[in-house]
mmCIF file of all heavy atoms in Angstrom:
data_model
loop_
_atom_site.group_PDB
_atom_site.id
_atom_site.type_symbol
_atom_site.label_atom_id
_atom_site.label_comp_id
_atom_site.label_asym_id
_atom_site.label_seq_id
_atom_site.Cartn_x
_atom_site.Cartn_y
_atom_site.Cartn_z
ATOM 1 N N GLY Y 96 41.171 -34.344 -12.070
ATOM 2 C CA GLY Y 96 41.500 -33.352 -13.084
ATOM 3 C C GLY Y 96 42.878 -32.758 -12.894
ATOM 4 O O GLY Y 96 43.865 -33.482 -12.784
ATOM 5 N N SER Y 97 42.954 -31.435 -12.806
ATOM 6 C CA SER Y 97 44.229 -30.728 -12.749
ATOM 7 C C SER Y 97 44.962 -31.002 -11.439
ATOM 8 O O SER Y 97 44.390 -30.879 -10.348
ATOM 9 C CB SER Y 97 43.990 -29.218 -12.887
ATOM 10 O OG SER Y 97 43.338 -28.925 -14.092
ATOM 11 N N VAL Y 98 46.227 -31.354 -11.529
ATOM 12 C CA VAL Y 98 47.075 -31.523 -10.351
ATOM 13 C C VAL Y 98 47.658 -30.153 -10.013
ATOM 14 O O VAL Y 98 48.397 -29.572 -10.808
ATOM 15 C CB VAL Y 98 48.196 -32.535 -10.609
ATOM 16 C CG1 VAL Y 98 49.117 -32.624 -9.402
ATOM 17 C CG2 VAL Y 98 47.614 -33.902 -10.942
ATOM 18 N N VAL Y 99 47.337 -29.621 -8.851
ATOM 19 C CA VAL Y 99 47.769 -28.262 -8.483
ATOM 20 C C VAL Y 99 48.842 -28.268 -7.395
ATOM 21 O O VAL Y 99 49.528 -27.270 -7.202
ATOM 22 C CB VAL Y 99 46.562 -27.416 -8.033
ATOM 23 C CG1 VAL Y 99 45.709 -27.030 -9.226
ATOM 24 C CG2 VAL Y 99 45.714 -28.143 -7.016
ATOM 25 N N VAL Y 100 48.966 -29.348 -6.676
ATOM 26 C CA VAL Y 100 50.083 -29.556 -5.751
ATOM 27 C C VAL Y 100 50.672 -30.901 -6.122
ATOM 28 O O VAL Y 100 49.991 -31.934 -6.046
ATOM 29 C CB VAL Y 100 49.628 -29.543 -4.275
ATOM 30 C CG1 VAL Y 100 50.798 -29.883 -3.356
ATOM 31 C CG2 VAL Y 100 49.053 -28.182 -3.903
ATOM 32 N N ASP Y 101 51.925 -30.897 -6.548
ATOM 33 C CA ASP Y 101 52.492 -32.086 -7.188
ATOM 34 C C ASP Y 101 53.791 -32.526 -6.512
ATOM 35 O O ASP Y 101 54.882 -32.136 -6.909
ATOM 36 C CB ASP Y 101 52.736 -31.782 -8.667
ATOM 37 C CG ASP Y 101 53.131 -33.014 -9.472
ATOM 38 O OD1 ASP Y 101 53.058 -34.127 -8.924
ATOM 39 O OD2 ASP Y 101 53.511 -32.847 -10.639
ATOM 40 N N GLY Y 102 53.656 -33.299 -5.455
ATOM 41 C CA GLY Y 102 54.829 -33.868 -4.810
ATOM 42 C C GLY Y 102 55.556 -32.926 -3.874
ATOM 43 O O GLY Y 102 56.791 -32.975 -3.765
ATOM 44 N N VAL Y 103 54.833 -32.085 -3.157
ATOM 45 C CA VAL Y 103 55.455 -31.112 -2.247
ATOM 46 C C VAL Y 103 55.910 -31.802 -0.961
ATOM 47 O O VAL Y 103 55.161 -32.580 -0.358
ATOM 48 C CB VAL Y 103 54.474 -29.971 -1.918
ATOM 49 C CG1 VAL Y 103 54.979 -29.128 -0.750
ATOM 50 C CG2 VAL Y 103 54.247 -29.107 -3.150
ATOM 51 N N SER Y 104 57.123 -31.487 -0.551
ATOM 52 C CA SER Y 104 57.671 -32.021 0.706
ATOM 53 C C SER Y 104 58.403 -30.898 1.446
ATOM 54 O O SER Y 104 59.199 -30.174 0.847
ATOM 55 C CB SER Y 104 58.652 -33.171 0.446
ATOM 56 O OG SER Y 104 58.030 -34.259 -0.196
ATOM 57 N N TYR Y 105 58.103 -30.742 2.723
ATOM 58 C CA TYR Y 105 58.893 -29.873 3.597
ATOM 59 C C TYR Y 105 58.558 -30.196 5.043
ATOM 60 O O TYR Y 105 57.562 -30.854 5.333
ATOM 61 C CB TYR Y 105 58.717 -28.375 3.291
ATOM 62 C CG TYR Y 105 57.323 -27.795 3.368
ATOM 63 C CD1 TYR Y 105 56.653 -27.631 4.572
ATOM 64 C CD2 TYR Y 105 56.691 -27.320 2.215
ATOM 65 C CE1 TYR Y 105 55.398 -27.043 4.640
ATOM 66 C CE2 TYR Y 105 55.433 -26.733 2.261
ATOM 67 C CZ TYR Y 105 54.790 -26.596 3.477
ATOM 68 O OH TYR Y 105 53.556 -26.018 3.536
ATOM 69 N N ARG Y 106 59.429 -29.767 5.937
ATOM 70 C CA ARG Y 106 59.218 -29.999 7.369
ATOM 71 C C ARG Y 106 59.582 -28.757 8.163
ATOM 72 O O ARG Y 106 60.340 -27.911 7.690
ATOM 73 C CB ARG Y 106 60.048 -31.196 7.863
ATOM 74 C CG ARG Y 106 61.545 -30.996 7.736
ATOM 75 C CD ARG Y 106 62.334 -32.088 8.444
ATOM 76 N NE ARG Y 106 62.045 -33.419 7.919
ATOM 77 C CZ ARG Y 106 62.604 -34.538 8.386
ATOM 78 N NH1 ARG Y 106 63.479 -34.451 9.401
ATOM 79 N NH2 ARG Y 106 62.327 -35.701 7.873
ATOM 80 N N THR Y 107 59.040 -28.671 9.361
ATOM 81 C CA THR Y 107 59.315 -27.519 10.224
ATOM 82 C C THR Y 107 60.073 -27.963 11.465
ATOM 83 O O THR Y 107 60.188 -29.163 11.748
ATOM 84 C CB THR Y 107 58.006 -26.825 10.648
ATOM 85 O OG1 THR Y 107 57.269 -27.710 11.510
ATOM 86 C CG2 THR Y 107 57.157 -26.463 9.445
ATOM 87 N N ALA Y 108 60.563 -26.978 12.215
ATOM 88 C CA ALA Y 108 61.282 -27.235 13.467
ATOM 89 C C ALA Y 108 60.703 -26.346 14.562
ATOM 90 O O ALA Y 108 60.209 -25.248 14.288
ATOM 91 C CB ALA Y 108 62.771 -26.950 13.291
ATOM 92 N N PRO Y 109 60.741 -26.792 15.823
ATOM 93 C CA PRO Y 109 60.198 -25.982 16.926
ATOM 94 C C PRO Y 109 60.877 -24.627 17.012
ATOM 95 O O PRO Y 109 62.106 -24.520 16.960
ATOM 96 C CB PRO Y 109 60.489 -26.833 18.167
ATOM 97 C CG PRO Y 109 60.664 -28.233 17.656
ATOM 98 C CD PRO Y 109 61.279 -28.086 16.294
ATOM 99 N N GLY Y 110 60.067 -23.566 17.160
ATOM 100 C CA GLY Y 110 60.602 -22.232 17.320
ATOM 101 C C GLY Y 110 61.225 -21.624 16.089
ATOM 102 O O GLY Y 110 61.806 -20.544 16.154
ATOM 103 N N ARG Y 111 61.095 -22.300 14.950
ATOM 104 C CA ARG Y 111 61.697 -21.826 13.712
ATOM 105 C C ARG Y 111 60.631 -21.441 12.691
ATOM 106 O O ARG Y 111 59.497 -21.898 12.769
ATOM 107 C CB ARG Y 111 62.601 -22.905 13.109
ATOM 108 C CG ARG Y 111 63.739 -23.332 14.017
ATOM 109 C CD ARG Y 111 64.806 -22.253 14.084
ATOM 110 N NE ARG Y 111 65.948 -22.646 14.899
ATOM 111 C CZ ARG Y 111 67.060 -21.936 15.017
ATOM 112 N NH1 ARG Y 111 67.159 -20.786 14.376
ATOM 113 N NH2 ARG Y 111 68.042 -22.349 15.780
ATOM 114 N N THR Y 112 61.038 -20.614 11.721
ATOM 115 C CA THR Y 112 60.117 -20.171 10.680
ATOM 116 C C THR Y 112 60.541 -20.724 9.339
ATOM 117 O O THR Y 112 61.673 -20.506 8.895
ATOM 118 C CB THR Y 112 60.081 -18.632 10.603
ATOM 119 O OG1 THR Y 112 59.604 -18.109 11.834
ATOM 120 C CG2 THR Y 112 59.176 -18.163 9.479
ATOM 121 N N LEU Y 113 59.628 -21.446 8.709
ATOM 122 C CA LEU Y 113 59.812 -21.901 7.336
ATOM 123 C C LEU Y 113 58.951 -21.015 6.442
ATOM 124 O O LEU Y 113 57.731 -20.925 6.648
ATOM 125 C CB LEU Y 113 59.383 -23.362 7.171
ATOM 126 C CG LEU Y 113 59.198 -23.845 5.732
ATOM 127 C CD1 LEU Y 113 60.543 -23.925 5.007
ATOM 128 C CD2 LEU Y 113 58.494 -25.201 5.683
ATOM 129 N N ALA Y 114 59.555 -20.333 5.496
ATOM 130 C CA ALA Y 114 58.806 -19.513 4.556
ATOM 131 C C ALA Y 114 58.561 -20.299 3.278
ATOM 132 O O ALA Y 114 59.471 -20.974 2.774
ATOM 133 C CB ALA Y 114 59.562 -18.229 4.240
ATOM 134 N N VAL Y 115 57.342 -20.215 2.768
ATOM 135 C CA VAL Y 115 56.992 -20.836 1.494
ATOM 136 C C VAL Y 115 56.658 -19.697 0.543
ATOM 137 O O VAL Y 115 55.705 -18.948 0.772
ATOM 138 C CB VAL Y 115 55.798 -21.801 1.637
ATOM 139 C CG1 VAL Y 115 55.502 -22.480 0.314
ATOM 140 C CG2 VAL Y 115 56.077 -22.843 2.719
ATOM 141 N N VAL Y 116 57.460 -19.542 -0.513
ATOM 142 C CA VAL Y 116 57.323 -18.394 -1.406
ATOM 143 C C VAL Y 116 57.051 -18.846 -2.835
ATOM 144 O O VAL Y 116 57.285 -19.996 -3.201
ATOM 145 C CB VAL Y 116 58.581 -17.501 -1.360
ATOM 146 C CG1 VAL Y 116 58.874 -17.039 0.057
ATOM 147 C CG2 VAL Y 116 59.794 -18.244 -1.929
ATOM 148 N N GLY Y 117 56.579 -17.896 -3.636
ATOM 149 C CA GLY Y 117 56.304 -18.171 -5.040
ATOM 150 C C GLY Y 117 55.190 -17.279 -5.539
ATOM 151 O O GLY Y 117 54.506 -16.613 -4.763
ATOM 152 N N GLU Y 118 55.017 -17.250 -6.858
ATOM 153 C CA GLU Y 118 53.975 -16.422 -7.459
ATOM 154 C C GLU Y 118 52.586 -16.929 -7.080
ATOM 155 O O GLU Y 118 52.420 -18.077 -6.668
ATOM 156 C CB GLU Y 118 54.124 -16.436 -8.983
ATOM 157 C CG GLU Y 118 55.382 -15.747 -9.495
ATOM 158 C CD GLU Y 118 55.618 -16.021 -10.964
ATOM 159 O OE1 GLU Y 118 56.059 -17.132 -11.296
ATOM 160 O OE2 GLU Y 118 55.370 -15.118 -11.782
ATOM 161 N N SER Y 119 51.595 -16.069 -7.247
ATOM 162 C CA SER Y 119 50.215 -16.463 -6.997
ATOM 163 C C SER Y 119 49.846 -17.652 -7.887
ATOM 164 O O SER Y 119 50.202 -17.691 -9.068
ATOM 165 C CB SER Y 119 49.268 -15.292 -7.300
ATOM 166 O OG SER Y 119 49.512 -14.220 -6.427
ATOM 167 N N GLY Y 120 49.153 -18.616 -7.299
ATOM 168 C CA GLY Y 120 48.721 -19.779 -8.054
ATOM 169 C C GLY Y 120 49.703 -20.931 -8.068
ATOM 170 O O GLY Y 120 49.455 -21.955 -8.722
#
Side-chain angles (χ1 to χ4, degrees):
S97 301
V98 176
V99 286
V100 175
D101 189 9
V103 167
S104 298
Y105 58 70
R106 63 170 60 181
T107 67
R111 300 287 183 174
T112 298
L113 165 69
V115 183
V116 303
E118 293 169 284
S119 296

